[in-house]
């Protein structure tokens, strides 16, 4: 017998915590040249974890024939998935995603509440997954993830460097790469007034004195670029905020865009005048200052196939439709014709110097006949790495461009930055262009070319100083 354990078949785990059940199994490779005997430690529905003469090994059940009491078919395949999420996400969004996932999987779903904690059981034949929802703050949600008390965390921010370091320190050795954080949905904060029909706008410069604020989590207040003051009353629920502004005439409230139902939204103004009205496009394109992202952080432990299937589902078109119906903003790209960029062009002309106006002319010649897509990529502080939202948006961009729905033939990867950052950004543009090309390899669309162009930031997206002027990469197509 060859003592050769194939990398694609057998994975040796040195510190993976497993629950032994004491059953002896014998696994023989379907090629017939490998047999491993040992005590079954765990089975997640696809992979057998065994204590064998080679140590702890994990074997793919699709590549081996199993004999013994612990083999596939001798027990129900069950999994547990624990999700820590903010209360505002657990109210509607997460349950809607779980329900839709169960329906698409043709499974039955059962909802139960025990000790004020909701859990769902999805059954498909002899397969079963129990999904437990843990409703908590963002800090505790991250702590649960680091200490392996939850498998997924849904919050409105990325992990801090300290949190990421602690998660890595607390991780187990594995040949599987640590999963990347992802963004599954977007939201934003908008001003509203209840009993003052004469007021239709709100100056972004007055955010520090706003009366009432309802946030997904208090840490989101940093989005506004000011500190919480005694003038701000923070509400844990949008309903409490609405009750407050309904009581007093002229009281201003800030609510999540996802919660804006039957209320009057105020338009935003800045020193340069009125800003574009809030919309899905404005939030997706990062042209709205007070936007936020729903981050998915994943445990470093290996999850079962049903749990992995749920994670993959969260970036699917079906999940994006559920996200939109729940009031949040999905990541599916939308098309913004150049003709709809009039306010932006006017701002560029009004604020540009002679050199910038020449650059603007060259930029517009490059964009002739093209439309902007809402996909806008931002770099991390190193100016080379895309942030988590950008990487998530690229997945949806591949699907969008590959569908051939708009008959696009060319993709323009447009880099906008300061002069000092132009060289670094040019290198990143080439990497992004290469990523898009690889993402479209198996697509059925008609994309014939992908071009990268770098310009100085002579084409600002807005005059709102709260919108970052950091280097950005816009995707255009024609």
């Amino acid at each position: 017998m060859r003592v050769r354990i194939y990398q694609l078949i057998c994975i040796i785990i040195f510190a993976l915590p497993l629950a032994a059940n004491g059953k002896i199994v014998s696994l023989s490779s379907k090629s017939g040249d490998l047999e491993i005997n040992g005590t079954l430690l765990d089975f997640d529905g696809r992979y057998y974890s065994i204590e064998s003469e080679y140590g702890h090994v994990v074997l793919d059940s699709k590549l081996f024939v199993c004999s013994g009491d612990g083999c596939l078919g001798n027990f129900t395949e069950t999994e547990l998935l624990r999700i820590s999420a903010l209360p505002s996400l657990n109210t509607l969004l997460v349950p809607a995603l779980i329900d839709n996932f169960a329906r698409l999987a043709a499974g039955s779903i059962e909802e139960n509440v025990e000790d004020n904690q909701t859990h769902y059981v999805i059954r498909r034949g002899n397969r079963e997954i129990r999904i437990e929802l843990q409703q908590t703050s963002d800090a505790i949600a991250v702590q649960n993830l680091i200490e392996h008390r939850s498998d997924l965390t849904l919050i409105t921010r990325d992990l801090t460097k300290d949190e990421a370091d602690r998660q890595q320190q607390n991780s187990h050795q594995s040949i599987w790469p640590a999963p990347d954080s992802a963004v599954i949905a977007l939201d934003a904060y908008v001003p509203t007034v209840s009993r003052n029909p004469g007021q239709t706008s709100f100056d972004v410069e007055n955010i520090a004195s706003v009366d009432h604020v309802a946030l997904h989590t208090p840490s989101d207040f940093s989005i506004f670029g000011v500190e919480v003051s005694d003038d701000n009353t923070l509400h844990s629920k949008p309903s409490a905020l609405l009750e407050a502004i309904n009581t007093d005439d002229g009281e201003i409230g800030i609510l999540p865009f996802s919660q804006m139902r039957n209320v009057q939204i105020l338009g935003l103004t800045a020193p340069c005048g009125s800003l574009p009205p809030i919309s899905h496009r404005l939030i997706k394109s990062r042209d709205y200052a007070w936007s936020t992202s729903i981050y998915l952080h994943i445990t470093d432990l290996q999850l079962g196939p049903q749990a992995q299937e749920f994670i993959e589902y969260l970036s699917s078109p079906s999940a994006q439709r559920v996200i939109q119906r729940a009031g949040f903003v999905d990541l599916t790209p939308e098309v913004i014709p150049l003709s709809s960029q009039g306010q932006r062009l006017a701002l560029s002309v009004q604020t540009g110097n002679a050199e910038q106006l020449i650059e603007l002319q060259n930029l517009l010649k490059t964009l002739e006949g093209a439309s902007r897509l809402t996909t806008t990529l931002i770099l991390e502080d190193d100016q080379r790495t895309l942030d988590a939202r950008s990487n998530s948006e690229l997945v949806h961009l591949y699907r969008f461009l590959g569908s051939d729905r708009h008959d696009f033939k060319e993709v323009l990867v447009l880099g906008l930055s300061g002069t000092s950052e132009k060289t670094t950004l040019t290198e990143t543009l080439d990497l992004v262009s290469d990523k898009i090309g690889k993402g479209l390899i198996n697509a059925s669309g008609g994309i014939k070319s992908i071009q990268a162009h770098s310009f100085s930031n002579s084409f600002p997206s807005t005059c709102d100083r709260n919108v970052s002027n950091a280097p950005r990469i816009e995707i255009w197509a024609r």
Side-chain angles (χ1 to χ4, degrees):
M1 177 181 67
R2 299 179 192 171
V3 186
R4 182 165 62 94
I5 302 181
Y6 301 98
Q7 289 183 350
L8 296 177
I9 297 177
C10 175
I11 304 163
I12 300 179
I13 306 298
F14 297 99
L16 186 64
L18 299 165
N21 63 18
K23 294 180 179 178
I24 302 300
V25 296
S26 177
L27 296 175
S28 302
S29 64
K30 293 184 177 179
S31 61
D33 59 0
L34 179 63
E35 181 178 310
I36 295 182
N37 302 300
T39 302
L40 179 67
L41 300 175
D42 190 40
F43 177 67
D44 65 10
R46 177 169 176 179
Y47 295 97
Y48 293 103
S49 297
I50 297 173
E51 179 65 44
S52 72
E53 59 185 301
Y54 307 109
H56 286 173
V57 296
V58 179
L59 303 172
D60 189 340
S61 62
K62 291 187 175 181
L63 302 176
F64 283 82
V65 177
C66 180
S67 59
D69 292 339
C71 294
L72 178 65
N74 294 338
F75 56 91
T76 302
E77 303 169 39
T78 61
E79 295 179 37
L80 172 64
L81 180 65
R82 301 160 299 171
I83 304 175
S84 287
L86 300 174
S88 57
L89 305 179
N90 266 347
T91 302
L92 177 61
L93 178 61
V94 178
L97 288 168
I98 293 172
D99 182 73
N100 184 250
F101 171 73
R103 293 176 186 276
L104 291 175
S108 64
I109 183 169
E110 177 184 319
E111 178 182 353
N112 297 288
V113 179
E114 298 175 2
D115 299 325
N116 295 320
Q117 180 174 292
T118 302
H119 72 264
Y120 297 85
V121 177
I122 301 173
R123 295 184 179 89
R124 292 178 284 178
N126 69 334
R127 302 174 67 196
E128 177 181 300
I129 182 170
R130 175 187 169 109
I131 303 178
E132 294 181 353
L133 301 188
Q134 304 165 354
Q135 187 164 290
T136 182
S137 67
D138 58 341
I140 294 177
V142 172
Q143 188 68 21
N144 287 344
L145 185 74
I146 293 172
E147 297 179 356
H148 300 138
R149 292 197 297 265
S150 69
D151 305 304
L152 306 179
T153 291
L154 286 167
I155 55 177
T156 55
R157 64 174 177 84
D158 204 348
L159 300 181
T160 65
K161 184 181 184 305
D162 177 64
E163 290 167 341
D165 289 343
R166 284 163 53 207
Q167 184 183 29
Q168 185 176 17
Q169 291 167 5
N170 205 36
S171 64
H172 295 278
Q173 286 183 318
S174 172
I175 62 97
W176 285 294
D180 294 324
S181 297
V183 169
I184 66 166
L186 308 175
D187 205 354
Y189 291 107
V190 292
T192 180
V193 64
S194 178
R195 300 180 61 183
N196 188 0
Q199 183 167 3
T200 58
S201 62
F202 178 78
D203 191 332
V204 295
E205 302 292 316
N206 295 332
I207 185 61
S209 60
V210 72
D211 303 303
H212 301 277
V213 182
L215 306 172
H216 287 292
T217 176
S219 62
D220 277 1
F221 205 89
S222 61
I223 290 172
F224 304 115
V226 295
E227 299 291 332
V228 179
S229 71
D230 293 337
D231 294 329
N232 312 129
T233 301
L234 300 184
H235 298 272
S236 60
K237 294 182 179 180
S239 57
L241 180 146
L242 292 174
E243 183 178 347
I245 64 175
N246 279 328
T247 302
D248 299 313
D249 291 349
E251 294 281 282
I252 301 294
I254 298 290
L255 277 173
F257 182 71
S258 58
Q259 305 293 326
M260 300 301 287
R261 298 176 180 86
N262 302 318
V263 296
Q264 177 187 347
I265 299 177
L266 299 178
L268 290 181
T269 60
C272 62
S274 297
L275 299 178
I278 186 72
S279 66
H280 283 75
R281 282 184 180 179
L282 200 67
I283 296 171
K284 289 183 181 185
S285 62
R286 304 203 197 214
D287 293 343
Y288 186 79
W290 299 338
S291 61
T292 188
S293 303
I294 312 302
Y295 284 84
L296 171 69
H297 304 295
I298 307 170
T299 180
D300 61 294
L301 298 179
Q302 179 69 9
L303 297 174
Q306 295 181 81
Q308 294 286 1
E309 187 180 348
F310 179 74
I311 293 172
E312 293 170 4
Y313 155 79
L314 292 176
S315 64
S316 70
S318 295
Q320 292 297 296
R321 288 190 288 270
V322 172
I323 286 166
Q324 193 172 40
R325 288 198 298 268
F328 291 80
V329 179
D330 61 294
L331 295 177
T332 305
E334 295 185 36
V335 178
I336 308 175
L338 184 57
S339 59
S340 298
Q341 301 273 287
Q343 189 175 27
R344 186 180 183 186
L345 286 168
L347 175 65
S348 302
V349 173
Q350 291 168 2
T351 60
N353 55 35
E355 184 178 347
Q356 288 175 323
L357 291 178
I358 293 173
E359 182 90 340
L360 179 63
Q361 286 182 327
N362 293 331
L363 183 149
L364 292 178
K365 290 177 182 177
T366 300
L367 297 179
E368 184 177 359
S371 296
R372 181 186 174 190
L373 305 184
T374 50
T375 303
T376 301
L377 312 178
I378 298 294
L379 305 178
E380 298 282 14
D381 293 339
D382 63 5
Q383 299 302 313
R384 295 177 183 275
T385 308
L386 295 177
D387 66 6
R389 174 175 164 180
S390 297
N391 283 315
S392 298
E393 287 194 271
L394 280 176
V395 174
H396 297 277
L397 178 67
Y398 304 152
R399 187 182 295 127
F400 178 83
L401 293 174
S403 67
D404 204 23
R405 181 178 170 186
H406 295 276
D407 198 31
F408 289 131
K409 303 300 181 187
E410 293 178 277
V411 176
L412 306 178
V413 182
L414 189 72
L416 299 172
S417 68
T419 305
S420 61
E421 302 148 325
K422 201 168 181 180
T423 302
T424 302
L425 186 60
T426 299
E427 296 173 3
T428 307
L429 290 178
D430 292 335
L431 293 175
V432 171
S433 300
D434 186 54
K435 276 190 172 185
I436 295 175
K438 290 179 179 177
L440 294 176
I441 286 177
N442 297 319
S444 59
I447 300 299
K448 304 299 183 185
S449 69
I450 301 172
Q451 305 171 20
H453 300 275
S454 183
F455 293 92
S456 63
N457 209 349
S458 57
F459 196 30
S461 61
T462 176
C463 68
D464 183 358
R465 66 183 184 183
N466 294 302
V467 175
S468 173
N469 279 324
R472 58 163 49 194
I473 298 173
E474 296 182 0
I475 307 299
W476 292 65
R478 62 181 166 219

